[in-house]
Amino acid sequence: MGGVLEIRDLHKSFDSHHVIQGFSMDVVEQTLSCLIGPNGAGKTTLMDLISGRLKPSSGSVRFRGDELSGLSESDIARRGVGRKFQVPAVFKELTVRENLEIAFSREVNPFRNMLKFRDKAMLAKLEEVSVLVNLENRLSIVAGLLSHGETQWLEIGMTLMQEPQLLLLDEPIAGMTEAEVDQTAKLLREVRQHSTLIVVEHDMGFVRRVADMVTVMHMGTHFAEGKIDEIEANQNVREIYLGTEEDAA
Amino acid sequence: MNGNIYHDKRAQWVVYIVFFVSLGLIPVMQADPFLLNQLAVFGIYGLLAMSISLCWGTGGILNLGQGIAFGMGAYGMAMTMQMQSQDPEFSPLPSFMSTNGLEQLPWFWEPFWSTGGGIFLALAVPTIFSLIFGALMFQARVSGPFFAIMSLAMLSAFYILVLDMQPYTNGANGISPRMPLEVAGYSLDPYSPAAYWLIFGLLFSLTVLAKLLNQSKFGQIVRALREDPERVRFLGYNVALYETLIYAISAFIAAVAGCCFTILIQYVSPDQFDVVFSITMVIWAAVGGRLSLIGAIIGAFLIQGSESYLGDQFLNSWHLILGFFFVIIVRFLPNGLAGLLEMLLAKRSRSSTEESPPHGRAKSPAAANAEKAGV
């Protein structure tokens, strides 16, 4: 099991404001890493840098040995990096089924897609994913009518339809009920069987349940890393968090 | 889900067939050549409205400069027809050129000696122009109102260019070829049923192709990027490429409409590049329903039809009435008349399932299966 993602000495600044300052991290194949840290630590910015929404000021992001920084968002997605956004981004005017269908992006050539009407491989994948994310009975509903938790699942489902090797999930359980959180934890454990995940999450209870590794960010730096018990026992981590940990729990 | 019949693909195709077959039968029942010619011109408006529906409705790209492709197509056809009535030996120069002091046929007129070459250029030049202009805009992620303004500015530039290049375009007087278009020895009389059928044959086949395009994976992706281009990018699709293509396909249809226009009217002038005309195209699509190809076509028929028959009675106030109508539609029916129909049918299907819930429930798994097979 080798390294999937290698981040080296990453910097990102907006004008004189340094958001990411010399961040380095390694992610191993088929692990679920949770990224935690106080607000403003740079977690979402890091996701943006990996997925190409932002370009780093300096440093490198290597995915399976290939440099990602400098590539466009669509090229990075093509290489197998899927992304779920903090504010769920689904196509609200389209049905759940259409959302999932579009996300199946094995073929991106527009001319070939003009001739594509019924895609067997897609239908098989759609069946699998819709059961996995618990939306198999909601397929013909317009996505804008889904509950908040279901919308989160739909977006996770969309990233799964992409057949990614690395999934970046930004706050996947925000706004979910207790039962939905349980299901999501189960789902993520299942996804981890075939892919690598990086999950940004505030809820320490959830992190404890799903994480193989926990990385703590603070002020744009790599602050600490380890198993959840080590992190919770770490006095320095407790200090930077102060009240936030109790709020989340 | 109990299905709204509006979204039923089979019902949609039935509507298409009924609509186009009845249009095709008109010349059988109506022999008045002037009326046929006028109705054929409506077919051209239908093509334009349909092209706007594809670009703006499916792709969300508000294009106020569709007149560029339309005008280029119209001028290309006019040049072809003009050269058909010129003789390479005795009168190689259209008369307006000699009155404007030209002694030699300009180089870009040369290819129009050939009818096939001329028609090819009339379609290819606007399409390639749109590919380049679209690629420049969409690569830079120009979108929404900014793109609309850019397209409008480009259209105005073309209008002035055509007006100013008097020796090459005959300026404000325009080009009026003496003879109808002649293809393979056959002269296409613009007042004949043949001309009518040509236009509606094109309208029919291009609309069907556009509908298939909408139903393909390509169409699905374009509809998704109308809502959230950013998300589509993160799914791995090159958004600028998709936008450029839908924009260029729409321009190609407008160029076809331009060619047909000159065939029917035998006259072309800078008016075809007029800003008001391009905005009118958008109004047709908005009133009929930009999300529905056939809705946009019907919108064009309704507005132009009422302009022809009511416009005379209201004269100057016609544009005011049209404007008022447009404001009402945009405010209360954002998806136009097609959207109104969709709403009414949805209400009907909802009330019918409420009246007979057991029946409705029994039907839903079958409907879901049908949908699974259909998509």
Side-chain angles (χ1 to χ4, degrees), chain A residues 53 92 101-102 104-105 108, chain B residues 217 220 227 230 235 237:
Chain A
R53 192 190 215 176
K92 289 197 175 70
E101 283 179 356
I102 289 159
F104 186 79
S105 52
V108 294
Chain B
K217 182 79 184 264
Q220 227 174 16
E227 217 183 299
E230 173 102 333
L235 292 174
Y237 300 105

Side-chain angles (χ1 to χ4, degrees), chain B residues 142-182:
Chain B
V142 175
S143 64
F146 301 100
F147 181 81
I149 291 166
M150 289 304 289
S151 65
L152 199 61
M154 194 46 102
L155 176 68
S156 308
F158 267 96
Y159 179 82
I160 293 166
L161 188 72
V162 172
L163 198 63
D164 270 4
M165 303 252 287
Q166 176 113 357
Y168 308 102
T169 63
N170 205 16
N173 301 320
I175 302 170
S176 39
R178 254 171 300 141
M179 306 293 283
L181 179 70
E182 201 181 292

Side-chain angles (χ1 to χ4, degrees), chain B residues 99-246:
Chain B
T99 31
N100 279 297
L102 284 192
E103 279 163 10
Q104 233 186 350
L105 194 68
W107 61 268
F108 61 88
W109 272 76
E110 289 288 348
F112 291 89
W113 281 115
S114 141
T115 301
I119 294 175
F120 173 77
L121 283 181
L123 297 174
V125 171
T127 309
I128 291 169
F129 170 82
S130 305
L131 282 173
I132 296 170
F133 181 66
L136 285 174
M137 291 294 118
F138 299 127
Q139 211 101 67
R141 299 193 184 169
V142 175
S143 64
F146 301 100
F147 181 81
I149 291 166
M150 289 304 289
S151 65
L152 199 61
M154 194 46 102
L155 176 68
S156 308
F158 267 96
Y159 179 82
I160 293 166
L161 188 72
V162 172
L163 198 63
D164 270 4
M165 303 252 287
Q166 176 113 357
Y168 308 102
T169 63
N170 205 16
N173 301 320
I175 302 170
S176 39
R178 254 171 300 141
M179 306 293 283
L181 179 70
E182 201 181 292
V183 183
Y186 175 77
S187 170
L188 186 65
D189 176 6
Y191 294 92
S192 65
Y196 176 92
W197 276 320
L198 170 74
I199 308 295
F200 277 92
L202 283 170
L203 178 64
F204 169 70
S205 39
L206 289 174
T207 308
V208 167
L209 284 176
K211 182 156 183 62
L212 287 173
L213 190 71
N214 272 345
Q215 288 181 357
S216 71
K217 182 79 184 264
F218 176 87
Q220 227 174 16
I221 294 162
V222 171
R223 252 173 307 166
L225 69 82
R226 170 184 74 204
E227 217 183 299
D228 189 349
E230 173 102 333
R231 190 74 192 89
V232 176
R233 233 170 256 138
F234 282 102
L235 292 174
Y237 300 105
N238 182 341
V239 166
L241 183 59
Y242 278 79
E243 285 177 321
T244 305
L245 284 173
I246 194 79

Side-chain angles (χ1 to χ4, degrees), chain B residues 16-55:
Chain B
Y16 270 64
I17 290 166
V18 171
F19 180 70
F20 283 107
V21 166
S22 39
L23 284 180
L25 286 177
I26 287 177
V28 181
M29 298 176 291
Q30 176 55 254
D32 179 6
F34 289 95
L35 187 67
L36 271 191
N37 181 267
Q38 192 183 28
L39 291 178
V41 174
F42 280 14
I44 291 171
Y45 298 149
L47 272 173
L48 288 170
M50 189 269 282
S51 76
I52 295 283
S53 162
L54 203 56
C55 186

